[in-house]
Coordinates of all heavy atoms in Angstrom, one line a residue:
M18 N 0.8 -1.2 0.0 CA 0.0 0.0 0.0 C 0.9 1.2 0.0 O 1.9 1.3 0.8 CB -0.9 0.0 1.2 CG -1.7 1.2 1.4 SD -2.7 1.3 2.9 CE -3.7 -0.1 2.8
E19 N 0.6 2.2 -0.8 CA 1.3 3.5 -0.9 C 1.1 4.2 0.4 O 0.0 4.2 1.0 CB 0.7 4.3 -2.0 CG 1.0 3.7 -3.4 CD 2.4 4.1 -3.9 OE1 2.9 5.1 -3.5 OE2 2.9 3.3 -4.7
L20 N 2.1 4.9 0.9 CA 2.0 5.7 2.1 C 0.9 6.8 2.0 O 0.2 7.0 2.9 CB 3.3 6.3 2.5 CG 3.4 6.9 3.8 CD1 3.0 6.0 4.9 CD2 4.8 7.5 4.1
S21 N 0.8 7.4 0.8 CA -0.2 8.4 0.6 C -1.6 7.8 0.8 O -2.5 8.5 1.3 CB 0.0 9.1 -0.8 OG -0.2 8.1 -1.8
T22 N -1.8 6.6 0.3 CA -3.1 5.9 0.5 C -3.4 5.7 2.0 O -4.5 5.9 2.5 CB -3.1 4.6 -0.3 OG1 -2.8 4.9 -1.6 CG2 -4.4 3.9 -0.1
L23 N -2.3 5.3 2.7 CA -2.5 5.1 4.2 C -2.8 6.4 4.9 O -3.7 6.4 5.7 CB -1.2 4.5 4.8 CG -1.2 4.3 6.3 CD1 -2.3 3.4 6.7 CD2 0.2 3.8 6.7
V24 N -2.2 7.5 4.5 CA -2.5 8.8 5.1 C -3.9 9.2 4.8 O -4.7 9.6 5.7 CB -1.5 9.9 4.6 CG1 -1.9 11.3 5.0 CG2 -0.1 9.6 5.1
D25 N -4.4 9.0 3.5 CA -5.7 9.3 3.2 C -6.7 8.4 4.0 O -7.7 9.0 4.5 CB -6.0 9.0 1.7 CG -5.3 10.0 0.8 OD1 -4.9 11.1 1.3 OD2 -5.1 9.7 -0.4
K26 N -6.4 7.2 4.2 CA -7.3 6.3 5.0 C -7.3 6.7 6.5 O -8.4 6.7 7.1 CB -6.9 4.8 4.9 CG -7.2 4.2 3.5 CD -6.8 2.8 3.5 CE -7.0 2.2 2.1 NZ -8.2 1.5 2.0
L27 N -6.2 7.1 7.0 CA -6.1 7.6 8.4 C -7.0 8.9 8.5 O -7.8 9.0 9.5 CB -4.7 7.9 8.8 CG -3.8 6.8 9.1 CD1 -2.4 7.2 9.3 CD2 -4.3 6.0 10.4
N28 N -6.9 9.8 7.6 CA -7.6 11.0 7.6 C -9.1 10.7 7.5 O -9.9 11.3 8.3 CB -7.2 12.0 6.5 CG -5.9 12.6 6.7 OD1 -5.5 12.7 7.8 ND2 -5.3 13.0 5.6
E29 N -9.5 9.8 6.7 CA -10.9 9.5 6.5 C -11.5 8.8 7.7 O -12.5 9.1 8.2 CB -11.0 8.6 5.3 CG -12.5 8.1 5.0 CD -12.5 7.2 3.8 OE1 -11.9 7.6 2.7 OE2 -13.1 6.1 3.9
R30 N -10.7 7.8 8.3 CA -11.2 7.0 9.4 C -11.2 7.8 10.7 O -12.2 7.7 11.5 CB -10.3 5.8 9.5 CG -10.8 4.9 10.7 CD -10.2 3.6 10.6 NE -10.7 2.7 11.7 CZ -10.2 1.5 12.0 NH1 -9.2 1.1 11.3 NH2 -10.7 0.8 12.9
F31 N -10.2 8.6 10.9 CA -10.1 9.3 12.2 C -10.3 10.8 12.2 O -10.2 11.5 13.2 CB -8.7 9.0 12.8 CG -8.4 7.6 13.1 CD1 -7.6 6.8 12.3 CD2 -9.1 6.9 14.1 CE1 -7.3 5.5 12.5 CE2 -8.9 5.5 14.4 CZ -8.0 4.8 13.5
G32 N -10.7 11.3 11.0 CA -11.0 12.7 10.9 C -9.7 13.6 11.1 O -9.8 14.8 11.5
T33 N -8.6 13.0 10.9 CA -7.3 13.8 11.0 C -7.1 14.6 9.7 O -7.8 14.4 8.7 CB -6.1 12.9 11.2 OG1 -6.1 11.9 10.2 CG2 -6.2 12.2 12.5
E34 N -6.1 15.4 9.7 CA -5.8 16.3 8.6 C -4.3 16.2 8.2 O -3.6 17.2 8.0 CB -6.2 17.7 8.8 CG -7.7 17.9 9.0 CD -8.1 19.3 9.3 OE1 -7.3 20.2 9.0 OE2 -9.2 19.5 9.7
F35 N -3.8 14.9 8.2 CA -2.4 14.7 7.8 C -2.2 15.2 6.4 O -3.0 15.0 5.5 CB -2.0 13.3 7.9 CG -2.0 12.8 9.4 CD1 -2.8 11.7 9.7 CD2 -1.2 13.4 10.3 CE1 -2.9 11.2 11.0 CE2 -1.3 12.9 11.7 CZ -2.1 11.8 12.0
T36 N -1.0 15.8 6.1 CA -0.7 16.3 4.8 C 0.5 15.4 4.2 O 1.1 14.6 4.9 CB -0.2 17.7 4.9 OG1 1.1 17.7 5.7 CG2 -1.2 18.6 5.6
P37 N 0.8 15.6 3.0 CA 1.9 14.9 2.4 C 3.2 15.2 3.2 O 4.1 14.3 3.3 CB 2.0 15.5 1.0 CG 0.6 15.8 0.6 CD 0.0 16.4 1.9
A38 N 3.4 16.3 3.8 CA 4.5 16.6 4.6 C 4.6 15.7 5.8 O 5.7 15.4 6.2 CB 4.6 18.1 5.0
D39 N 3.5 15.3 6.3 CA 3.5 14.4 7.4 C 4.0 13.0 7.1 O 4.3 12.2 7.9 CB 2.1 14.3 8.0 CG 1.6 15.6 8.6 OD1 2.4 16.3 9.3 OD2 0.4 15.9 8.4
Q40 N 4.0 12.7 5.8 CA 4.4 11.4 5.3 C 5.9 11.1 5.7 O 6.2 10.0 6.0 CB 4.3 11.3 3.8 CG 2.8 11.2 3.4 CD 2.7 11.0 1.9 OE1 3.6 10.7 1.2 NE2 1.5 11.3 1.4
L41 N 6.7 12.2 5.8 CA 8.1 12.0 6.2 C 8.1 11.4 7.6 O 8.9 10.4 7.9 CB 8.8 13.3 6.2 CG 10.3 13.2 6.8 CD1 11.1 12.3 6.0 CD2 10.9 14.6 6.8
F42 N 7.3 11.9 8.5 CA 7.2 11.3 9.9 C 6.8 9.8 9.8 O 7.5 9.0 10.5 CB 6.2 12.1 10.7 CG 6.1 11.5 12.1 CD1 7.0 11.7 13.1 CD2 5.0 10.8 12.4 CE1 6.9 11.2 14.4 CE2 4.8 10.3 13.7 CZ 5.8 10.5 14.7
F43 N 5.8 9.5 9.0 CA 5.4 8.1 8.9 C 6.5 7.2 8.3 O 6.6 6.1 8.7 CB 4.1 8.0 8.1 CG 2.9 8.6 8.9 CD1 2.2 9.7 8.4 CD2 2.5 8.1 10.1 CE1 1.2 10.2 9.1 CE2 1.4 8.6 10.8 CZ 0.7 9.7 10.3
D44 N 7.2 7.8 7.4 CA 8.3 7.1 6.8 C 9.4 6.7 7.9 O 9.9 5.7 7.9 CB 9.0 7.9 5.7 CG 8.3 7.8 4.4 OD1 7.4 6.9 4.2 OD2 8.5 8.7 3.5
Q45 N 9.6 7.7 8.7 CA 10.6 7.5 9.8 C 10.1 6.5 10.8 O 10.9 5.6 11.3 CB 10.8 8.9 10.6 CG 11.5 9.9 9.7 CD 11.6 11.2 10.5 OE1 10.7 11.6 11.2 NE2 12.7 11.9 10.3
V46 N 8.8 6.5 11.1 CA 8.2 5.5 12.0 C 8.4 4.1 11.4 O 8.8 3.2 12.1 CB 6.8 5.8 12.4 CG1 6.1 4.7 13.1 CG2 6.7 7.1 13.2
R47 N 8.1 4.0 10.1 CA 8.2 2.7 9.4 C 9.7 2.2 9.5 O 9.9 1.1 9.8 CB 7.8 2.8 8.0 CG 7.8 1.5 7.3 CD 7.5 1.6 5.8 NE 8.7 2.2 5.2 CZ 8.7 2.9 4.1 NH1 7.5 3.2 3.5 NH2 9.8 3.4 3.6
E48 N 10.6 3.1 9.3 CA 12.1 2.7 9.3 C 12.4 2.3 10.7 O 13.2 1.4 10.9 CB 12.9 3.8 8.8 CG 12.8 4.1 7.3 CD 13.2 2.9 6.5 OE1 14.2 2.2 6.8 OE2 12.4 2.6 5.5
T49 N 11.9 3.0 11.7 CA 12.2 2.6 13.1 C 11.6 1.2 13.4 O 12.3 0.4 14.1 CB 11.6 3.7 14.1 OG1 12.1 5.0 13.8 CG2 11.8 3.3 15.5
A50 N 10.4 1.0 12.9 CA 9.8 -0.4 13.1 C 10.6 -1.4 12.4 O 10.8 -2.5 13.0 CB 8.4 -0.4 12.6
V51 N 11.1 -1.2 11.2 CA 11.9 -2.2 10.5 C 13.2 -2.5 11.2 O 13.6 -3.6 11.2 CB 12.1 -1.7 9.0 CG1 13.2 -2.5 8.3 CG2 10.8 -1.7 8.2
A52 N 13.7 -1.5 11.8 CA 15.0 -1.6 12.5 C 14.8 -2.3 13.9 O 15.8 -2.7 14.5 CB 15.7 -0.3 12.7
N53 N 13.6 -2.4 14.4 CA 13.3 -3.0 15.7 C 13.4 -4.5 15.6 O 12.5 -5.2 15.0 CB 12.0 -2.5 16.2 CG 11.6 -3.0 17.5 OD1 11.7 -4.2 17.8 ND2 11.3 -2.1 18.4
E54 N 14.4 -5.1 16.2 CA 14.7 -6.5 16.1 C 13.5 -7.4 16.7 O 13.1 -8.4 16.2 CB 16.0 -6.9 16.7 CG 16.4 -8.4 16.5 CD 16.6 -8.7 15.1 OE1 17.0 -7.9 14.2 OE2 16.3 -9.9 14.7
Q55 N 12.9 -6.9 17.8 CA 11.8 -7.6 18.4 C 10.6 -7.7 17.5 O 10.0 -8.7 17.4 CB 11.5 -6.9 19.7 CG 10.3 -7.6 20.5 CD 9.9 -6.8 21.7 OE1 10.4 -5.7 22.0 NE2 9.0 -7.4 22.5
L56 N 10.3 -6.6 16.8 CA 9.2 -6.6 15.9 C 9.5 -7.4 14.7 O 8.7 -8.2 14.2 CB 8.9 -5.1 15.4 CG 8.1 -4.3 16.4 CD1 7.9 -2.9 15.8 CD2 6.7 -4.9 16.7
R57 N 10.8 -7.4 14.2 CA 11.2 -8.2 13.1 C 11.0 -9.7 13.4 O 10.5 -10.5 12.6 CB 12.6 -7.9 12.7 CG 12.7 -6.6 12.0 CD 14.2 -6.2 11.8 NE 14.7 -7.3 10.9 CZ 15.7 -7.1 10.0 NH1 16.3 -5.9 10.0 NH2 16.1 -8.0 9.3
Q58 N 11.4 -10.1 14.6 CA 11.2 -11.5 15.0 C 9.8 -11.9 15.1 O 9.4 -13.0 14.7 CB 12.0 -11.8 16.3 CG 13.5 -11.8 16.1 CD 14.2 -12.0 17.4 OE1 13.6 -12.3 18.4 NE2 15.5 -11.9 17.4
A59 N 9.0 -11.0 15.7 CA 7.5 -11.2 15.8 C 6.8 -11.4 14.5 O 6.0 -12.3 14.3 CB 6.9 -10.1 16.7
V60 N 7.2 -10.5 13.5 CA 6.5 -10.6 12.2 C 6.9 -11.9 11.5 O 6.1 -12.5 10.8 CB 6.8 -9.4 11.4 CG1 8.2 -9.4 10.8 CG2 5.7 -9.3 10.3
M61 N 8.1 -12.3 11.7 CA 8.6 -13.6 11.0 C 8.0 -14.8 11.6 O 7.8 -15.8 11.0 CB 10.1 -13.7 11.1 CG 10.8 -12.5 10.4 SD 10.5 -12.4 8.6 CE 11.4 -13.8 8.0
A62 N 7.7 -14.8 12.9 CA 7.2 -15.9 13.6 C 5.7 -16.1 13.7 O 5.2 -17.1 14.2 CB 7.8 -15.9 15.0
N63 N 4.9 -15.1 13.2 CA 3.5 -15.1 13.3 C 2.8 -14.8 12.0 O 3.4 -14.2 11.1 CB 3.1 -14.0 14.3 CG 3.5 -14.3 15.7 OD1 2.9 -15.1 16.4 ND2 4.6 -13.6 16.2
T64 N 1.5 -15.2 12.0 CA 0.7 -14.8 10.9 C 0.4 -13.3 11.1 O 0.6 -12.7 12.2 CB -0.6 -15.5 10.9 OG1 -1.4 -15.2 12.1 CG2 -0.4 -17.0 10.8
L65 N -0.1 -12.6 10.0 CA -0.5 -11.2 10.1 C -1.5 -11.0 11.2 O -1.5 -10.1 12.0 CB -1.0 -10.7 8.8 CG -1.4 -9.2 8.7 CD1 -0.2 -8.4 9.1 CD2 -1.9 -8.9 7.4
E66 N -2.5 -12.0 11.3 CA -3.5 -11.9 12.3 C -2.9 -11.9 13.7 O -3.4 -11.2 14.6 CB -4.5 -13.0 12.2 CG -5.7 -13.0 13.1 CD -6.6 -14.2 12.8 OE1 -7.4 -14.1 11.8 OE2 -6.6 -15.1 13.6
N67 N -1.9 -12.8 14.0 CA -1.3 -12.9 15.3 C -0.3 -11.7 15.5 O -0.1 -11.4 16.7 CB -0.6 -14.2 15.4 CG -1.6 -15.4 15.6 OD1 -2.7 -15.2 15.9 ND2 -1.1 -16.5 15.2
F68 N 0.3 -11.2 14.5 CA 1.2 -10.1 14.6 C 0.6 -8.8 14.9 O 1.1 -8.0 15.6 CB 2.1 -10.0 13.4 CG 3.0 -8.8 13.4 CD1 4.1 -8.8 14.2 CD2 2.8 -7.7 12.5 CE1 4.9 -7.7 14.3 CE2 3.6 -6.6 12.6 CZ 4.7 -6.6 13.4
A69 N -0.6 -8.6 14.4 CA -1.3 -7.3 14.6 C -1.4 -6.8 16.0 O -1.1 -5.6 16.3 CB -2.7 -7.3 13.9
P70 N -1.8 -7.6 17.0 CA -1.8 -7.2 18.4 C -0.4 -6.7 18.9 O -0.3 -5.8 19.6 CB -2.4 -8.3 19.2 CG -3.1 -9.2 18.2 CD -2.3 -9.0 16.9
V71 N 0.6 -7.5 18.5 CA 2.0 -7.1 18.9 C 2.3 -5.8 18.4 O 2.8 -4.9 19.1 CB 3.0 -8.2 18.4 CG1 4.4 -7.8 18.7 CG2 2.7 -9.6 19.1
F72 N 2.1 -5.6 17.1 CA 2.4 -4.3 16.4 C 1.6 -3.2 17.1 O 2.1 -2.1 17.3 CB 2.1 -4.4 14.9 CG 2.4 -3.1 14.2 CD1 3.7 -2.7 14.0 CD2 1.4 -2.2 13.8 CE1 4.0 -1.5 13.4 CE2 1.7 -1.0 13.2 CZ 3.0 -0.7 13.0
N73 N 0.3 -3.4 17.3 CA -0.5 -2.3 17.8 C 0.0 -1.9 19.2 O -0.1 -0.7 19.6 CB -2.0 -2.8 17.9 CG -2.6 -2.9 16.5 OD1 -2.2 -2.3 15.6 ND2 -3.7 -3.7 16.4
K74 N 0.5 -2.8 20.0 CA 1.0 -2.5 21.3 C 2.3 -1.7 21.2 O 2.6 -0.8 22.1 CB 1.3 -3.8 22.1 CG 0.0 -4.5 22.6 CD 0.3 -5.8 23.3 CE 0.8 -5.6 24.7 NZ 1.0 -6.9 25.4
Q75 N 3.0 -1.9 20.2 CA 4.3 -1.2 20.0 C 4.2 0.1 19.2 O 5.1 0.9 19.2 CB 5.3 -2.1 19.2 CG 5.8 -3.3 20.1 CD 6.5 -2.8 21.3 OE1 7.3 -1.9 21.2 NE2 6.3 -3.5 22.4
L76 N 3.0 0.4 18.6 CA 2.9 1.5 17.7 C 3.1 2.8 18.4 O 3.9 3.7 18.0 CB 1.5 1.5 17.0 CG 1.3 2.6 16.0 CD1 2.4 2.5 14.9 CD2 -0.1 2.4 15.4
E77 N 2.6 3.0 19.6 CA 2.8 4.2 20.4 C 4.2 4.4 20.7 O 4.8 5.5 20.6 CB 1.9 4.2 21.7 CG 2.1 5.5 22.5 CD 1.2 5.5 23.7 OE1 0.2 4.7 23.8 OE2 1.5 6.3 24.6
N78 N 4.9 3.3 21.1 CA 6.3 3.4 21.4 C 7.1 3.8 20.2 O 8.1 4.6 20.3 CB 6.9 2.1 21.9 CG 6.3 1.7 23.3 OD1 5.9 2.6 24.0 ND2 6.3 0.4 23.6
L79 N 6.7 3.3 19.0 CA 7.4 3.7 17.8 C 7.2 5.2 17.5 O 8.2 5.9 17.1 CB 6.9 2.9 16.6 CG 7.2 1.4 16.6 CD1 6.3 0.7 15.5 CD2 8.7 1.2 16.3
F80 N 6.0 5.7 17.7 CA 5.8 7.2 17.5 C 6.7 8.0 18.5 O 7.3 9.0 18.1 CB 4.3 7.5 17.7 CG 3.4 7.2 16.6 CD1 2.2 6.6 16.8 CD2 3.8 7.4 15.2 CE1 1.4 6.3 15.7 CE2 3.0 7.0 14.2 CZ 1.8 6.5 14.4
V81 N 6.6 7.6 19.8 CA 7.4 8.3 20.8 C 8.9 8.3 20.5 O 9.6 9.3 20.5 CB 7.1 7.8 22.2 CG1 8.1 8.4 23.2 CG2 5.7 8.1 22.6
E82 N 9.4 7.1 20.1 CA 10.8 6.9 19.8 C 11.2 7.9 18.6 O 12.3 8.5 18.7 CB 11.1 5.5 19.4 CG 12.5 5.2 19.2 CD 12.8 3.7 19.0 OE1 12.0 2.9 19.4 OE2 13.8 3.4 18.3
R83 N 10.4 7.9 17.6 CA 10.7 8.7 16.4 C 10.6 10.2 16.8 O 11.5 11.0 16.4 CB 9.7 8.4 15.3 CG 10.1 9.1 14.0 CD 11.4 8.6 13.5 NE 12.4 9.6 13.7 CZ 13.7 9.4 13.9 NH1 14.2 8.2 13.8 NH2 14.6 10.3 14.1
M84 N 9.6 10.6 17.6 CA 9.5 12.0 18.0 C 10.7 12.4 18.9 O 11.2 13.5 18.7 CB 8.2 12.2 18.8 CG 7.0 12.1 17.8 SD 5.4 12.1 18.7 CE 5.4 13.7 19.5
D85 N 11.1 11.5 19.7 CA 12.3 11.8 20.6 C 13.5 12.0 19.7 O 14.4 12.9 19.9 CB 12.6 10.7 21.6 CG 11.6 10.7 22.7 OD1 10.8 11.7 22.9 OD2 11.5 9.7 23.5
G86 N 13.7 11.1 18.7 CA 14.8 11.2 17.8 C 14.8 12.6 17.0 O 15.9 13.2 16.8
N87 N 13.6 13.0 16.6 CA 13.5 14.2 15.8 C 13.8 15.4 16.8 O 14.5 16.4 16.4 CB 12.1 14.4 15.2 CG 11.9 13.5 14.0 OD1 12.9 12.9 13.5 ND2 10.7 13.4 13.6
E88 N 13.4 15.3 18.0 CA 13.6 16.4 19.0 C 15.1 16.5 19.2 O 15.6 17.6 19.3 CB 12.9 16.1 20.3 CG 13.0 17.3 21.3 CD 12.1 17.0 22.5 OE1 10.9 17.1 22.4 OE2 12.7 16.7 23.6
D89 N 15.8 15.4 19.3 CA 17.3 15.4 19.5 C 18.0 16.1 18.4 O 19.0 16.8 18.6 CB 17.8 14.0 19.7 CG 17.4 13.3 21.0 OD1 16.9 14.0 21.9 OD2 17.5 12.1 21.1
I90 N 17.5 16.0 17.2 CA 18.1 16.6 16.0 C 17.9 18.1 16.1 O 18.9 18.9 15.9 CB 17.5 16.1 14.7 CG1 17.9 14.6 14.5 CG2 17.9 17.0 13.5 CD1 17.1 14.0 13.4
F91 N 16.7 18.6 16.5 CA 16.4 20.0 16.4 C 16.6 20.7 17.7 O 16.7 22.0 17.8 CB 15.0 20.2 15.9 CG 14.8 19.7 14.5 CD1 14.1 18.6 14.3 CD2 15.3 20.4 13.5 CE1 13.9 18.1 13.0 CE2 15.2 20.0 12.2 CZ 14.5 18.8 11.9
C92 N 16.8 20.0 18.8 CA 17.0 20.6 20.1 C 18.1 19.9 20.9 O 17.8 19.1 21.8 CB 15.7 20.5 21.0 SG 14.3 21.3 20.3
P93 N 19.3 20.2 20.5 CA 20.5 19.5 21.1 C 20.4 19.7 22.7 O 20.0 20.7 23.2 CB 21.7 20.2 20.5 CG 21.2 20.8 19.2 CD 19.8 21.1 19.5
A94 N 20.9 18.6 23.4 CA 20.8 18.6 24.8 C 21.6 19.7 25.5 O 21.3 20.1 26.6 CB 21.3 17.2 25.3
D95 N 22.7 20.2 24.8 CA 23.5 21.2 25.4 C 23.0 22.6 25.2 O 23.7 23.6 25.6 CB 25.0 21.1 24.9 CG 25.0 21.3 23.4 OD1 24.0 21.3 22.7 OD2 26.2 21.3 22.9
E96 N 21.8 22.8 24.7 CA 21.3 24.2 24.6 C 20.4 24.5 25.8 O 19.8 23.8 26.4 CB 20.4 24.3 23.3 CG 21.3 24.4 22.1 CD 20.5 24.7 20.9 OE1 19.3 25.0 21.0 OE2 21.1 24.7 19.8

């Protein structure tokens, strides 16, 4: 599924107003998820149906981790 399609579906389903610029954030979250060894092992060992609850539990953590990473880039700790 194209990321733009996912953003459109999120907007439709949840009444959000994500823009194409927000896609960068979602790309970052996806890359963070792909780099997460625990999630990689879970997806390899489970059906999509069984993996979905694992992913859903981790989704908030993925968002927070990515937001923290972005904050570190724009707000260095020594300022």
Side-chain angles (χ1 to χ4, degrees):
M18 174 183 305
E19 295 276 330
L20 187 56
S21 59
T22 303
L23 177 59
V24 170
D25 290 342
K26 287 182 185 262
L27 285 170
N28 286 338
E29 181 181 309
R30 183 169 182 187
F31 297 107
T33 54
E34 296 181 14
F35 295 121
T36 66
D39 295 317
Q40 290 181 18
L41 176 60
F42 177 77
F43 291 116
D44 283 341
Q45 292 173 325
V46 170
R47 185 186 73 211
E48 291 301 317
T49 301
V51 168
N53 183 305
E54 188 61 32
Q55 181 182 7
L56 281 177
R57 289 174 60 152
Q58 288 179 8
V60 77
M61 298 299 287
N63 290 285
T64 64
L65 182 58
E66 183 178 287
N67 290 340
F68 174 69
V71 173
F72 180 75
N73 290 338
K74 287 174 79 174
Q75 291 296 319
L76 188 57
E77 183 177 342
N78 292 336
L79 292 169
F80 283 140
V81 170
E82 185 177 334
R83 187 65 257 153
M84 289 171 63
D85 286 347
N87 286 349
E88 186 175 288
D89 290 346
I90 292 170
F91 297 107
C92 301
D95 59 351
E96 284 189 7

